Structures are given as structure tokens and as C-alpha cells.
Amino acid sequence: MKVTVVGAGAVGASCAEYIAIKNFASEVVIVDIKENYAEGKAMDLMQTASLNGFDTKITGSTNDYAKTAGSSIAVITSGIPRKPGMTREELIGINAGIVKTVSENIIKHSPNAIIIVVSNPMDTMTYLAHKATGLPKNQIIGMGGALDSARFKYRLSEALGAPASDIDGMVIGGHSDTGMIPLTRLATRNSVPASAFISEEKLEEVAKATMVGGATLTGMLGTSAWYAPGAAVSAMVQAIACDTKKIFPCSTYLEGEYGLNDLCIGVPVVLGKNGIEKIVEIELTDAEKEKLASSAAAVKKTNSLLEV
């Protein structure tokens, strides 16, 4: 099981570290355009192997995709990160060219690879990877919903005064500050509805805090977050590599599901050895359907800025 991570920045390095520590991959290849940067990150991580007890081999490559050949899964984190005050959509001009080139290079050497897109604006970059490669829809996955749902569960656990392991919740829709839809109605604490413990007003506060979760951290850190994004990707990679059939909300190409067409947006999917094995259509309320339609319209507007 060989996994490629493109981009040796904070998110890519965290992703590689979490994958290695979980010890399910035989090799992780980190690729970056900066001379010796990926090699240095790989060496640093390998020096933790005896301390953290993993046997995964981590190697680095300066823009040589031949070293990624035969990868089962490839993660694209490359691109410029958000700065304070910047929206994910504002990154499109620079990151589109990067993601298109990277996805084409990956497929050249690993035509059967499952591609996970992390680069922002994530839904649009996932759509771009789909159009640029022509791969089946099950092979192209956007990470956003997995991260947004983790942030939702964190905020829920905080509001409920409960451990995160007791919390279940899901965020669908676009991976943007205004497009994501935390499904508060379905949030639970150990199968008991969250609404049994806190008020609707408090749940709405949780939802709002979730939606600006990335922007909040960008403002505090001066750049995009990396621990939670890296962990979200590694969880998805593990579900695919180990064929667990776990459900994650992920950005996927829709062809009529949820009444939407020709875009990638976050909905629940089953992840396994073939990537997206099934799109799960849950029953939404009229209000939730309206929010999803609005989110989809915003994603399509951003997609219209692409040159594909």
C-alpha cells in the first residue's frame, strides 16, 4: 500500500505523519516543488519511527512524480494557504493551475490511484481534478466534509460538556464559511439527540461556530490550520486503504443525487477500496434542501471561474 502526498507544507506533513503512525501503509511519498523540502520533511519524520513505533517508509521527492508510481491513493494538498481575511474562493486563480498539473502527473504514473483533494477552494478543485483527469467519479474525492464534521463534533462536545468520542454529527454542503450545513437535527450524544441536552439556540450557535471554524483558526494562526485537516485526510486514506466502508461527508461529483448535477459538493459517502463506493442519500427537511441548493449555486458560481 503506497500513498502519495503532494505538498510538503504543514497540512501535507501532518497528513503523512498521521498515516505513518497508524501503520497501515507500506510507503508514503511526499512530493514538493521546493528543492529538498520534501526530502527534509521525510527524513525528519523517519527519525520519529523508532520513537513512535511505525514501520511505514517515508520518502521525499522534489517534483519527480516517477517516484510516486504505483500509488494506490494520492493526496493533493499543494497550493497557497489562506491568509487572514482571505476567502477560500480567492485562492482559485493560483491553485487551479497547480491542482490541474498535479492531478495529471499523478494519473500519468498511477492511473488507478484514488485522488483526495485538499487544496482550496476544495469543492471547485475537486471538480477541476475530475474534469482534468476524466477519471470515474469514485476515484476523485474532496476532503472538506470530513474536516467540517470533525470541527462540528468538537463544538458539540464543548457545548454538551461531553467527550468527543460520545458525539456524532455531520456537515454537508460546500466547504466554505457560508456554504457548509451542519445537520444539527441529526446530531447525537451516544444515540440521544443533542437537542435533548441543549437548546435550539445553543445548537444554532454551535452551527455558526462550525461554519467559521477555518476562518477562526486562520485569524489566530495567521495561516490555515493543519493538525485537523491532516487528521481528516489520514482517516479517509485509512478507510480506503483498509476497505472499512466507513461513511464520511465528502465532496463528490453528483449526477442527479440530491437533485444536483455537474458539480462536486459535500454529501455522505461510503469509502472503501474503490474510493467512493456509494453516495448515501439521506432525507433532508425543506429548510435543509434549500440551504443545500443555495450552497450548490455558490459552488457552481466559483466553478464558472475555471478554465477547463
Side-chain angles (χ1 to χ4, degrees):
M1 172 56 63
K2 185 175 181 178
V3 179
T4 287
V5 178
V6 184
V11 174
S14 292
C15 175
E17 179 182 18
Y18 290 134
I19 291 170
I21 287 175
K22 291 177 180 180
N23 222 15
F24 60 83
S26 57
E27 183 179 4
V28 176
V29 181
I30 309 173
V31 182
D32 202 276
I33 59 170
K34 186 177 178 181
E35 188 73 31
N36 282 328
Y37 193 60
E39 289 88 342
K41 287 287 183 86
M43 185 182 294
D44 191 16
L45 285 169
M46 281 304 295
Q47 289 169 2
T48 73
S50 62
L51 300 168
N52 287 327
F54 65 81
D55 299 312
T56 303
K57 178 184 177 184
I58 307 172
T59 56
S61 167
T62 302
N63 226 28
D64 181 5
Y65 284 85
K67 293 181 179 177
T68 71
S71 293
S72 300
I73 304 165
V75 180
I76 303 176
T77 73
S78 45
I80 61 167
R82 277 209 290 177
K83 300 296 182 186
M86 181 184 284
T87 67
R88 292 181 177 93
E89 290 74 22
E90 287 170 342
L91 304 176
I92 190 168
I94 297 171
N95 287 355
I98 295 171
V99 169
K100 187 173 188 292
T101 301
V102 168
S103 57
E104 288 170 347
N105 279 325
I106 288 167
I107 294 306
K108 179 181 176 182
H109 296 281
S110 304
N112 297 316
I114 307 296
I115 295 178
I116 299 175
V117 179
V118 182
S119 309
N120 278 316
M122 192 275 310
D123 297 293
T124 295
M125 294 300 103
T126 305
Y127 180 78
L128 174 62
H130 178 82
K131 293 297 182 181
T133 63
L135 289 175
K137 60 191 284 186
N138 63 292
Q139 280 184 247
I140 305 286
I141 313 167
M143 177 275 291
L147 171 61
D148 298 334
S149 296
R151 287 173 170 163
F152 183 37
K153 286 181 265 193
Y154 157 70
R155 289 297 187 185
L156 281 168
S157 70
E158 194 178 45
L160 290 165
S165 58
D166 232 15
I167 304 298
D168 200 11
M170 181 188 298
V171 176
I172 62 171
H175 181 58
S176 70
D177 301 347
T178 56
M180 65 181 78
I181 305 158
L183 295 176
T184 54
R185 176 178 61 89
L186 301 179
T188 62
R189 176 180 179 179
N190 202 0
S191 301
V192 180
S195 56
F197 300 98
I198 56 177
S199 66
E200 288 298 326
E201 290 76 20
K202 189 65 178 177
L203 275 172
E204 190 57 34
E205 285 179 23
V206 166
K208 288 178 179 176
T210 299
M211 292 171 72
V212 296
T216 300
L217 286 166
T218 299
M220 296 170 80
L221 298 169
T223 187
S224 296
W226 58 90
Y227 294 123
V233 179
S234 74
M236 293 169 63
V237 171
Q238 185 173 20
I240 296 165
C242 300
D243 195 26
T244 62
K245 316 292 189 190
K246 287 190 72 170
I247 290 180
F248 287 87
C250 297
S251 189
T252 184
Y253 186 74
L254 298 183
E255 298 173 291
E257 300 91 348
Y258 290 92
L260 301 173
N261 280 284
D262 192 36
L263 83 163
C264 293
I265 199 167
V267 295
V269 304
V270 176
L271 292 184
K273 64 182 179 181
N274 298 310
I276 294 173
E277 307 227 333
K278 181 181 181 181
I279 294 173
V280 181
E281 293 198 64
I282 56 176
E283 191 65 39
L284 299 176
T285 65
D286 288 344
E288 289 162 351
K289 288 176 184 176
E290 190 175 320
K291 287 179 180 178
L292 185 58
S294 176
S295 182
V299 169
K300 282 208 167 190
K301 184 177 179 181
T302 307
N303 289 353
S304 70
L305 303 174
L306 289 173
E307 295 177 10
V308 292

